[in-house]
Amino acid sequence: MSFVEYGDTIKDGDTAIVFLGHESMFPVKVQHGTVTQTKYGVIRHSTDLIGKKYGSKVTCSKGGWVFILHPTPELWTMNLPHRTQILYSTDISLITMMLELKPGSIVCESGTGSGSLSHALIRTVAPTGHLYTVEFHQQRAEKAREEFREHGVEHLVTVTNQDVCKNGFGVSNIADAVFLDIPSPWEAIGHAKSALKAEGGRICSFSPCIEQVQRTCLAMEEYGFTEINTLEILLRVYNVRTISLQIPDLGKAAEDNSSTGFDSSNPSNQGSPCSNLQQGTVQFKSGVPLREMVGHTGYLTFATKS
């Protein structure tokens, strides 16, 4: 099993996603002799998972059922153990596009955190690219190495435990892109410039506060970066549903009905548009935004090495 290569069959040692519904899923490490408890009953790994195909419908001990899904960076983002605040797919998609990443790209990242963005970057640059990720916290760095190894992507990523603001990324003049998600990104701009290739490399800094953005932009200008711009993504979800609205009284409905000899008591006229006019409402499908929406996550500042 690998997060960058698809496998048909569930194997011992795989990480799989147990899907109970769109709002209920969780990861599980498949092991011989192990059982997993769900609200629908027990899943026995040896008999219910190992050897089955990904996407299979598995019946639990209480008669309910779940789907077993192959892991992807998107599913991992929704289910990973949180060691820090993480980036979600909305921001990740824009970061990947604006950094102009593709298979074979070399990317530097700081900090690694819970590895949400890291998995997406690895999948994007595979099979010939590489991710150099720096994490200040030693235990988080060790846990990230363990997860990358379990997920079959350790050959595509190098995890370093150091302070990027003091020691940089450990590489020079090879990166196509640099991503910063640290409290004081302006202190790492010089190291980011050193890590980027000679010309045209892209940089992105994620910061929740506008004051951080201001200092980062000033540092980018000082180090000669160009095309500096800051974006914010706000996700707005729409529900498609049937709604009823009153038809405005334009003062002609009664005249039109009498002049055409319309009889509302006639069963043959009950489904006609004039019948709806008599009732005063009309139903139609409409896209309606949710009452609550996801608000501010952070500002994304992009720039190009000149």
Side-chain angles (χ1 to χ4, degrees):
M1 183 279 304
S2 171
F3 272 52
V4 297
E5 297 175 358
Y6 184 79
D8 281 335
T9 309
I10 304 171
K11 298 180 177 64
D12 186 24
D14 281 3
T15 298
I17 305 296
V18 180
F19 181 88
L20 292 83
H22 289 288
E23 303 298 328
S24 180
M25 62 184 92
F26 59 89
V28 62
K29 184 172 182 179
V30 179
Q31 293 177 309
H32 270 295
T34 302
V35 297
T36 297
Q37 294 282 351
T38 74
K39 63 181 180 180
Y40 300 127
V42 172
I43 301 173
R44 295 174 175 81
H45 294 201
S46 299
T47 57
D48 296 333
L49 299 184
I50 296 175
K52 300 289 181 65
K53 286 191 173 183
Y54 278 107
S56 296
K57 185 177 179 180
V58 174
T59 302
C60 305
S61 60
K62 292 182 181 179
W65 47 266
V66 299
F67 288 104
I68 308 299
L69 306 181
H70 192 285
T72 65
E74 290 78 15
L75 288 175
W76 185 245
T77 291
M78 298 171 64
N79 295 282
L80 58 78
H82 286 233
R83 299 183 288 273
T84 60
Q85 292 272 356
I86 70 169
L87 289 174
Y88 289 92
S89 296
T90 307
D91 287 316
I92 290 173
S93 60
L94 185 69
I95 291 168
T96 304
M97 181 188 72
M98 294 294 288
L99 289 182
E100 301 174 2
L101 301 182
K102 59 186 181 300
S105 295
I106 306 297
V107 187
C108 292
E109 175 197 26
S110 183
T112 312
S114 300
S116 173
L117 176 65
S118 303
H119 282 81
L121 294 177
I122 291 169
R123 195 260 309 272
T124 303
V125 304
T128 55
H130 201 83
L131 171 66
Y132 295 90
T133 182
V134 178
E135 173 55 53
F136 174 78
H137 194 276
Q138 182 178 357
Q139 291 178 324
R140 288 201 292 262
E142 292 173 354
K143 186 61 179 177
R145 287 194 194 98
E146 179 185 339
E147 285 181 351
F148 294 142
R149 184 169 56 254
E150 290 180 352
H151 298 165
V153 296
E154 72 275 11
H155 61 292
L156 296 169
V157 57
T158 299
V159 182
T160 306
N161 173 218
Q162 63 186 29
D163 185 351
V164 71
C165 296
K166 294 180 180 179
N167 307 114
F169 293 94
V171 297
S172 299
N173 302 319
I174 65 169
D176 297 289
V178 170
F179 176 79
L180 299 174
D181 183 6
I182 54 178
S184 52
W186 55 89
E187 295 180 1
I189 298 300
H191 294 298
K193 183 176 181 179
S194 298
L196 287 167
K197 60 186 181 182
E199 185 178 356
R202 294 280 286 165
I203 184 174
C204 174
S205 174
F206 177 90
S207 296
C209 302
I210 196 64
E211 291 80 7
Q212 294 171 301
V213 174
Q214 291 170 330
R215 295 189 65 174
T216 302
C217 289
L218 290 174
M220 287 178 175
E221 287 183 342
E222 181 181 345
Y223 280 95
F225 283 90
T226 59
E227 299 177 339
I228 302 171
N229 64 89
T230 299
L231 306 174
E232 178 187 23
I233 301 181
L234 298 176
L235 179 65
R236 192 176 191 188
V237 179
Y238 279 77
N239 279 340
V240 177
R241 64 184 188 185
T242 301
I243 64 174
S244 297
L245 289 180
Q246 284 190 333
I247 296 176
D249 183 6
L250 302 179
K252 293 187 177 181
E255 292 181 20
D256 292 344
N257 289 346
S258 60
S259 63
T260 57
F262 179 81
D263 183 3
S264 60
S265 63
N266 188 339
S268 63
N269 291 326
Q270 293 299 315
S272 67
C274 292
S275 175
N276 285 334
L277 291 174
Q278 291 292 318
Q279 295 168 4
T281 62
V282 64
Q283 291 186 334
F284 61 94
K285 298 288 185 181
S286 176
V288 182
L290 301 180
R291 294 180 181 273
E292 297 180 357
M293 62 177 282
V294 178
H296 171 76
T297 56
Y299 300 103
L300 293 168
T301 300
F302 296 92
T304 303
K305 183 177 178 180
S306 175

